[in-house]
Amino acid sequence: MAVISDTDAVVIAGGDGSLCEAITGLLRRPDDDQTIKLPIGICPVGKTNTIARRMLRGDLSDIRLLGDSMLAVIREETQTFDVLSIASDQGKPVFALAEIQWGPLRDAAEKASKYWYLGPLKKRATYVISSLKEWPQYARGKLSYVLPCEGCSKCFKSPPPPPPQRWWQSFLKTENNTKVLPGKDYSNVENNECGLWHNIDIETINFSAATQNGLQQPNEDFEAPSLTLSIGPNDLLKKDFIMHGWERQLSCREMPHTTKSDRQLVVREFKLEPEQAEGKEAWFSIDSEDYEAMPIHVCLMPKKIHLFCQPNTT
């Protein structure tokens, strides 16, 4: 895709992993200021299509999901969506649309395919087997975060001055010489929490960070762009761990992957430093793709890309 100027749209055939890789590839390009203007369609034919389901806002059958996705492209119906920028000290940033997961519940769910011989019970049995092999199981690390800000003197940026007007433009009714109403002035608004980093230690069976993209019940308490951190409990018996896993499995076709007892934080950006146990690997799931766990800095890029989407699909 060397020539973006001749491209009208991008349609990605695949699942969550293919979509994440494609978004990352587009936003890593040196001409990303042009690629972000291209509408993106999803042809959900992958193993996991949870992002497509979330964007179309419906528990649809695979055939209906595929049909509605393609109809949105044909009708050229688009919406803007937030993007997660996930940076580390190693390599280039990764970009995601929906969710980051980390912890023992995520690890147990990933191992379900190993128990193929259990048939439909494998997705439940994996939590039982995981608790029997190792206990207790917790993910530990240091979390730093910044709270959302709806606008204040610290983050206020003055709008650029209008271009100089020629004398003859006053006689022309064009978009260039129409007056633009001034927006809200945040230069006098004080917010001591803006840009202030909060630091906590976490120990949990499950950690997730999710955007508001496609949520049927988005967080309406914050008008500012934000993402939701969910931190699971850490004082569980084996049976409680299993029950949390089964509860999570009931919503396996949805995002975010959380349980009712999770503690939630609404933030603008965060840093996570996982504690690495000696001789043990740890992994993140970023939009259902596996990445080695390492210190990361996650920022929200609000309304960054355009997706073909049917907002009223039922």
Side-chain angles (χ1 to χ4, degrees), residues 124-191:
R124 288 178 173 265
T126 185
Y127 299 103
V128 178
I129 298 172
S130 179
S131 65
L132 294 176
K133 283 187 174 182
E134 180 183 355
W135 191 258
Q137 296 186 55
Y138 299 115
R140 298 178 176 89
K142 297 183 180 297
L143 175 67
S144 304
Y145 60 90
V146 175
L147 297 175
C149 178
E150 297 181 6
C152 70
S153 57
K154 291 182 179 180
C155 57
F156 172 76
K157 294 182 180 179
S158 300
Q165 195 175 45
R166 305 291 184 180
W167 65 269
W168 46 264
Q169 285 183 309
S170 59
F171 299 100
L172 300 176
K173 294 183 178 180
T174 63
E175 294 183 359
N176 293 331
N177 64 349
T178 55
K179 293 184 178 180
V180 179
L181 295 177
K184 184 176 179 180
D185 183 7
Y186 292 99
S187 58
N188 295 320
V189 178
E190 297 293 333
N191 180 8

Side-chain angles (χ1 to χ4, degrees), residues 98-144:
E99 182 183 32
I100 304 171
Q101 296 180 70
W102 171 58
L105 282 186
R106 172 261 166 213
D107 297 340
E110 289 295 316
K111 295 175 182 177
S113 59
K114 294 172 57 178
Y115 310 117
W116 56 268
Y117 49 86
L118 296 177
L121 296 178
K122 64 183 179 182
K123 293 183 178 180
R124 288 178 173 265
T126 185
Y127 299 103
V128 178
I129 298 172
S130 179
S131 65
L132 294 176
K133 283 187 174 182
E134 180 183 355
W135 191 258
Q137 296 186 55
Y138 299 115
R140 298 178 176 89
K142 297 183 180 297
L143 175 67
S144 304

Side-chain angles (χ1 to χ4, degrees), residues 214-277:
L215 290 181
Q216 294 186 5
Q217 295 180 341
N219 194 322
E220 297 178 351
D221 295 333
F222 294 87
E223 295 182 3
S226 62
L227 55 95
T228 303
L229 306 184
S230 297
I231 305 172
N234 63 352
D235 53 347
L236 297 179
L237 301 175
K238 286 185 179 181
K239 65 174 184 178
D240 298 322
F241 177 85
I242 295 169
M243 294 304 296
H244 275 74
W246 289 358
E247 180 185 344
R248 183 180 184 276
Q249 188 58 41
L250 291 175
S251 60
C252 64
R253 299 177 73 177
E254 303 174 359
M255 287 186 180
H257 295 92
T258 59
T259 59
K260 294 179 180 178
S261 58
D262 288 358
R263 172 192 175 191
Q264 293 193 337
L265 294 171
V266 179
V267 305
R268 185 175 70 191
E269 62 179 302
F270 72 92
K271 298 177 181 178
L272 177 63
E273 296 184 20
E275 181 181 307
Q276 300 283 5

Side-chain angles (χ1 to χ4, degrees), residues 71-85:
L71 279 175
V73 175
I74 294 170
R75 294 171 178 169
E76 299 185 5
E77 299 172 334
T78 63
Q79 283 189 330
T80 55
F81 288 89
D82 301 337
V83 173
L84 289 177
S85 173

Side-chain angles (χ1 to χ4, degrees), residues 147 201 276 289 306:
L147 297 175
D201 294 327
Q276 300 283 5
E289 278 288 288
H306 301 267

